[in-house]
Amino acid sequence: MSDRDEARTAEESAAAAVAAELIAGIREIRRDLQISDGPWEWLRCLSDWKTA
Amino acid sequence: VKAVAATEDALQLAHAWQPLLNCFVSIDDTDALTRAAQVDAGAPATADPRLVGLPVAYKDVFVRPGRQPGAGSAVTLPAATQPAAVDIALREAGTVVIGSLHLDEFSYAVTGRNEILGDCRNPWNVSRAPGGSSSGAAAAVAARIVPLAVGTDTGGSVRIPAAWCGVLGFKPTYSAISTAGMVPLAPSHDTVGLLALDVDVLAAGYRALTARAARPDRSAPADPARPLAGLTVGRLTDIGQVVDAEVSGAMDVATDVFVQLGAVVDEASMPDLDHCNAAAAVITASEAAALHAATLEEQPARYQAGTRTRLLVGQLLPAVDYVDALRFRARAMRRVVDGPFSRLDVLITPVTPTVAPELATLPPPSSPQIAADTGSLLQFTRPFNFLGFPSLSVPVGFTAGGLPVAVQLTAAPWHDELLLDVARALQDAIRWADRRPVLPANGPRHVVAPVTAKKG
């Protein structure tokens, strides 16, 4: 394996380890979510508080 | 004469400190002096006098007339045509830009280490990290080169270097300042921020960039000796074993001063701090990966290995997880506003677990390990990018070893002026800016060793 291939493998393996950790974190958060929680609702909250 | 004189002083300091700190990407003498002469010839009548003729500098992510930002990278980005909204507003306010400032590659790290630009250094001790990603902004303000610098903060990139370099670092409420003409990292978190030595200058810059008149969140105190009377300040207690004694000591100092200034200080906890960090990490990684997908495919070798690894992380995250992280955001925001911020005006937390570490102890940008190591440094700052709350790093003194220590103050959304008000009271009480780093009289060559040819 060339040095470049080895470096690429090291990067991919480091990235996979971090991604697995992040995915596990979201799995925990998901238990807290309800079907009505929309992905852009946070923008509406911020806008409402601005004019409050 | 005022703008030209101030600009000449700033340029002289910039050139004197640059070999030591490497805080500038470019120092633009000719443009700055031309612009300063124009300001002296006729400043806008409506401008805040604190900003007229004020030398400033920007993190190298903002488009300026005739200058594309390099974003701390060897990657070539498509050229933008319009100057950044920040540049337009600050020019209208009468400031003079003297140059562009060092950063971590694409703002995607928090140490100030950069293989393309070379490392930036901390003016209080050049073997220490300045923090990042607005590394040059913090170092240039700390070294008194410019009184105001513009940075960006996606997870702590203004507040962390501000804390490590001993200056004010302000991340306003999300979307308060336009990010047009800025090289983005993760648009759902990206916030233009300001670094300064004086709260009044910081506030003037903030108002120029938000096109807002001063609109205090509270009425003037009845007793000038107790300027924070009537405020309730919460001290985050659940910081466990992760914070050094010097940082928790800074929390003690700030708490004592708040009490002396008339505030009620109470213990506080932050719901979902870990979950906010986890969700923020997914959003940042996913958005950064999407924004860089094309250039990463076209120019992979031009990215530093650490950045490339972090972008690979984002490519490995499922879209469902990204959407769920966004879905959690409103729930977390409401929980914090209806929870701790229903009784608190301001929350005090650490900025980072430690003061500025030795540069050599931090993973270099060439290390894929940087992707795993950044989380702990961001644990107190990144949740407030996720929540969108305004947050300010304020120096409270120095360690026995002469390094700055700071605390982070956070308020509910759109209570930015309240934070500035509180920071002003702290500044008047602690006078942290009276102490300044000293440029070695015998010159930087004694600090940065010259490169010598190997014998033999």
Side-chain angles (χ1 to χ4, degrees):
Chain A
M1 189 184 275
S2 72
D3 285 353
R4 181 173 283 193
D5 288 343
E6 228 170 85
R8 177 83 184 162
T9 305
E11 287 172 21
E12 284 172 350
S13 136
V18 174
E21 218 173 281
L22 297 184
I23 289 167
I26 293 295
R27 197 172 299 138
E28 271 190 43
I29 289 169
R30 189 168 290 135
R31 294 195 198 109
D32 199 19
L33 294 174
Q34 294 179 6
I35 191 83
S36 55
D37 287 318
W40 307 117
E41 207 177 327
W42 65 276
L43 280 170
R44 195 165 55 79
C45 288
L46 208 57
S47 172
D48 289 350
W49 285 326
K50 187 174 186 178
T51 51
Chain B
V1 176
K2 185 187 154 213
V4 169
T7 303
E8 284 173 346
D9 286 350
L11 290 169
Q12 191 181 0
L13 276 171
H15 286 290
W17 276 102
Q18 177 65 5
L20 200 66
L21 301 180
N22 191 32
C23 56
F24 280 89
V25 173
S26 71
I27 303 173
D28 307 326
D29 300 64
T30 308
D31 286 354
L33 288 169
T34 304
R35 164 74 183 148
Q38 289 168 352
V39 171
D40 278 339
T46 53
D48 185 323
R50 280 167 295 206
L51 297 180
V52 175
L54 193 80
V56 299
Y58 309 154
K59 180 178 182 177
D60 193 24
V61 291
F62 295 100
V63 180
R64 294 165 48 196
R67 185 182 162 81
Q68 296 293 322
S73 182
V75 172
T76 306
L77 296 173
T81 50
Q82 292 293 318
V86 161
D87 183 67
I88 294 169
L90 285 181
R91 281 174 190 272
E92 279 175 5
T95 64
V96 177
V97 187
I98 69 159
S100 293
L101 296 161
H102 186 284
L103 70 158
D104 293 272
E105 187 179 32
F106 287 118
S107 308
Y108 208 5
V110 290
T111 64
R113 303 206 69 179
N114 188 312
E115 284 176 343
I116 307 302
L117 304 175
D119 294 340
C120 182
R121 291 173 179 273
N122 191 315
W124 295 97
N125 181 334
V126 292
S127 73
R128 299 281 175 156
S133 61
S134 305
S135 37
V141 173
R144 275 61 178 171
I145 298 169
V146 284
L148 179 69
V150 185
T152 64
D153 191 315
T154 303
S157 281
V158 160
R159 290 160 288 162
I160 291 170
W164 289 1
C165 289
V167 303
L168 296 158
F170 184 32
K171 181 201 82 69
T173 299
Y174 176 80
S175 78
I177 298 175
S178 171
T179 55
M182 180 195 107
V183 178
L185 172 60
S188 294
H189 290 160
D190 288 343
T191 310
V192 174
L194 294 166
L195 302 95
L197 286 168
D198 181 275
V199 176
D200 288 333
V201 171
L202 189 73
Y206 165 75
R207 288 169 197 149
L209 291 174
T210 53
R212 285 179 180 206
R215 190 179 59 95
D217 286 319
R218 55 195 289 266
S219 51
D223 179 359
R226 293 165 53 81
L228 301 185
L231 285 186
T232 303
V233 177
R235 174 181 169 147
L236 184 69
T237 50
D238 189 20
I239 54 177
Q241 300 296 311
V242 296
V243 169
D244 276 6
E246 288 161 327
V247 173
S248 58
M251 298 271 286
D252 294 339
V253 169
T255 302
D256 289 348
V257 174
F258 275 125
V259 171
Q260 285 165 24
L261 297 177
V264 172
V265 180
D266 204 355
E267 293 189 348
S269 60
M270 264 284 292
D272 304 318
L273 201 60
D274 289 346
H275 286 176
C276 288
N277 262 311
V282 167
I283 291 171
T284 300
S286 302
E287 293 187 359
L291 268 52
H292 284 272
T295 41
L296 185 61
E297 198 175 323
E298 290 159 9
Q299 309 172 52
R302 291 191 169 194
Y303 285 87
Q304 295 177 160
T307 311
R308 201 165 48 230
T309 304
R310 303 189 79 184
L311 295 174
L312 285 176
V313 171
Q315 293 186 353
L316 296 172
L317 296 173
V320 172
D321 288 20
Y322 171 67
V323 173
D324 278 351
L326 286 175
R327 292 174 66 215
F328 178 61
R329 202 165 177 181
R331 184 165 286 273
M333 288 163 85
R334 279 198 217 99
R335 224 173 247 167
V336 176
V337 168
D338 297 341
F341 279 98
S342 65
R343 64 184 184 86
L344 300 178
D345 298 293
V346 172
L347 179 72
I348 321 177
T349 67
V351 183
T352 56
T354 68
V355 295
E358 290 282 344
L359 262 171
T361 63
L362 296 167
S366 58
S367 164
Q369 191 57 31
I370 202 168
D373 284 359
T374 306
S376 69
L377 288 174
L378 302 176
Q379 61 185 298
F380 298 114
T381 51
R382 186 164 55 184
F384 300 109
N385 295 85
F386 179 70
L387 296 166
F389 291 17
S391 193
L392 176 60
S393 173
V394 186
V396 295
F398 295 84
T399 66
L403 292 172
V405 281
V407 295
Q408 177 175 250
L409 309 178
T410 301
W414 308 109
H415 287 70
D416 302 49
E417 292 277 357
L418 172 66
L419 280 185
L420 295 169
D421 207 18
V422 171
R424 188 177 293 108
L426 274 184
Q427 178 176 280
D428 290 345
I430 300 176
R431 303 189 63 81
W432 50 267
D434 289 353
R435 186 164 164 179
R436 50 175 59 201
V438 178
L439 181 66
N442 53 357
R445 64 187 178 280
H446 293 279
V447 181
V448 180
V451 177
T452 51
K454 284 182 184 171
K455 289 180 183 174

